[in-house]
Amino acid sequence: MKFFRAWQQSNLMLRILTGIILGSILGIMMPGYSVVSMLGDLFVGALKGIAPILVGVLVTASVAKAHNGLGSRFKTVVMLYMFTTLMAAVFAVFASSLFPISIVLANVVDTSNAAPGALGDVFRNIVTEVVCNPLDAIVRAKYLSILFWAIIVGLALKMVATKQTIDCLHDWAEAVSKVVAWVIQCAPFGIFGLVYTTVSQSGLDIFTTYGKLLLLLIGCMLTVSLVINPIIVGCMLRRNPYPLVWRCLKESAVSAFFTRSSAANIPVNMALCKRMGLDEDFYSVSIPLGSTINMNGAAVTITVMTLTTCHTLGLEISLFSALLLSIIATLGACGASGVAGGSLLLIPMACSLFGISNDVAMQVVAVGFIIGVVQDSVETALNSSGDVLFTITAEMRERLKRNEKNEIR
């Protein structure tokens, strides 16, 4: 127990950095040891296993004990989630046009993952899966369905449950959050295994063969995080947004980068909201909601990878088709799978807009999985830090409006 307490009190980021360095060195010098790779598989499996349960329990408990008067803030935060995702896709179109990149698609390892082939398929999947069996939704990490049933059950409990039942549900939410915290404490070992596996299989080719594509993706995501989102937040709050942006990046984005799961980062974001003095009834619902529909990074990935495919094939892109791609990427990102690399599986759907065959598109998906160890980490950091940033913005915006009304009176 003394060792465990000392481990928890030490700097998590320093432990993770040590795992990255050791994993890279061992991956180069001694590749191919499945026992080491298993550490990464266990860590990712634990996150995938607990994250859907966490979202379901948290949202159910939050809705059940929520008070009235949250409508205006929810309208604001949902608007921010959707608008910033669209702006991320639009900027990705601009950046891809300014820095067109071509990649070699021949001899790329194929992937067996299924992907929707048209926008209609995406809408159909979203609508039908929202009302699927809730237990199946938890098992398969269908977060839109989990949110739907959690809200429904929470509203039902709000009407019929006693205070003791609500308190018990709240205790369950706290317990699941504690389990997630324990899993995150194992992140150094998991990251060590993941980095070892990537370096063993791909070596340093990830930074050479696809380096330009990776730089474009990361550059777009950093611009969204450090320029576009702060401008929107600054306009909403009429103040310098960067102190708030830096705090969200420091306390949310860093941990999300290493866990690669917005759902698993929910307790981190909620703890930050609590320290900021926000209304728990509000952020305990808006944060899980953001982990599902606030997908700035996913929109960037879908757009950049699709336009890279177009540039590789020599296809010309009109302004109208580029804007249509932005809308498709925004809507598709909101329905992206909750698993790592889920946004990549929507690339064939976006490619179909330009008449690109599924065979070619799936080769690009395979390229995405190769660079995913970096791309997906940055994408998750952008998405998760945006969840807490826009939740705080919506709360502060509401307070600003109330203060202005009081001054007028």
Side-chain angles (χ1 to χ4, degrees):
M1 291 302 298
K2 289 183 179 179
F3 173 79
F4 184 71
R5 283 194 293 267
W7 172 265
Q8 284 187 307
Q9 293 172 1
S10 61
N11 189 290
L12 178 62
M13 295 303 108
L14 183 60
R15 283 181 276 147
I16 289 176
L17 180 60
T18 303
I20 293 174
I21 296 173
L22 293 178
S24 300
I25 295 174
L26 194 62
I28 294 174
M29 298 180 62
M30 302 174 61
Y33 283 86
S34 59
V35 176
V36 180
S37 299
M38 188 173 64
L39 292 174
D41 295 336
L42 289 173
F43 176 65
V44 173
L47 287 178
K48 288 182 181 179
I50 196 63
I53 300 174
L54 174 70
V55 172
V57 174
L58 280 179
V59 174
T60 301
S62 301
V63 172
K65 67 185 183 65
H67 301 292
N68 297 324
L70 303 179
S72 177
R73 285 175 290 179
F74 273 112
K75 179 181 178 181
T76 301
V77 78
V78 171
M79 179 196 70
L80 286 171
Y81 287 159
M82 299 303 297
F83 180 71
T84 55
T85 301
L86 177 62
M87 289 298 98
V90 170
F91 178 78
V93 169
F94 171 77
S96 296
S97 302
L98 195 61
F99 302 103
I101 293 176
S102 298
I103 57 176
V104 178
L105 296 179
N107 300 322
V108 175
V109 178
D110 197 7
T111 177
S112 60
N113 296 87
L119 182 60
D121 295 334
V122 175
F123 284 125
R124 191 179 301 110
N125 290 341
I126 291 175
V127 172
T128 56
E129 290 188 359
V130 159
V131 293
C132 74
N133 187 303
L135 296 179
D136 180 64
I138 293 175
V139 171
R140 299 174 60 185
K142 298 178 180 179
Y143 286 104
L144 287 177
S145 179
I146 293 171
L147 275 172
F148 172 78
W149 287 114
I151 291 173
I152 295 298
V153 174
L155 289 174
L157 287 171
K158 187 179 180 67
M159 297 173 64
V160 302
T162 63
K163 185 179 183 301
Q164 289 78 8
T165 302
I166 301 299
D167 291 340
C168 180
L169 187 60
H170 177 72
D171 291 340
W172 272 102
E174 292 291 326
V176 177
S177 299
K178 179 64 71 174
V179 172
V180 174
W182 289 343
V183 174
I184 292 176
Q185 288 296 322
C186 299
F189 301 105
I191 298 301
F192 169 75
L194 291 172
V195 172
Y196 171 83
T197 302
T198 301
V199 175
S200 295
Q201 294 177 351
S202 304
L204 300 178
D205 289 344
I206 184 178
F207 300 108
T208 56
T209 306
Y210 304 112
K212 291 183 179 179
L213 175 59
L214 190 58
L215 285 176
L216 179 60
L217 285 165
I218 294 175
C220 288
M221 294 179 192
L222 289 178
T223 302
V224 171
S225 180
L226 299 176
V227 179
I228 296 177
N229 286 351
I231 289 176
I232 295 173
V233 171
C235 293
M236 293 287 292
L237 300 180
R238 298 195 294 271
R239 55 181 284 187
N240 178 12
Y242 282 99
L244 177 59
V245 170
W246 289 125
R247 183 168 184 180
C248 292
L249 290 175
K250 177 183 176 182
E251 301 190 31
S252 174
V254 175
S255 59
F257 179 89
F258 293 109
T259 61
R260 297 175 64 188
S261 172
S262 294
N265 209 49
I266 286 175
V268 176
N269 287 343
M270 293 182 67
L272 175 56
C273 290
K274 184 176 182 178
R275 290 193 296 272
M276 294 284 291
L278 270 62
D279 181 5
E280 184 178 357
D281 287 344
F282 173 55
Y283 70 71
S284 58
V285 176
S286 67
I287 292 295
L289 177 65
S291 70
T292 302
I293 69 171
N294 181 40
M295 293 291 177
N296 298 3
V300 168
T301 297
I302 295 169
T303 304
V304 169
M305 297 296 282
T306 299
L307 293 180
T308 296
T309 310
C310 293
H311 294 143
T312 301
L313 299 177
L315 300 177
E316 292 193 10
I317 304 157
S318 66
L319 177 61
F320 173 77
S321 60
L323 292 177
L324 183 58
L325 173 62
S326 301
I327 297 174
I328 289 175
T330 300
L331 297 176
C334 294
S337 170
V339 301
S343 60
L344 298 174
L345 300 180
L346 291 169
I347 292 173
M349 177 271 296
C351 285
S352 67
L353 175 67
F354 302 96
I356 299 171
S357 69
N358 189 63
D359 292 339
V360 173
M362 291 308 290
Q363 292 185 53
V364 181
V365 173
V367 172
F369 278 113
I370 292 174
I371 63 176
V373 67
V374 177
Q375 167 267 327
D376 195 49
S377 294
V378 179
E379 177 183 312
T380 306
L382 170 59
N383 293 339
S384 189
S385 62
D387 297 344
V388 68
L389 174 65
F390 299 136
T391 294
I392 295 172
T393 299
E395 176 84 9
M396 295 177 69
R397 170 77 173 176
E398 185 71 15
R399 294 178 183 179
L400 182 64
K401 290 167 63 176
R402 282 202 300 263
N403 292 337
E404 290 177 348
K405 289 182 180 179
N406 292 332
E407 290 178 1
I408 293 175
R409 290 175 182 174

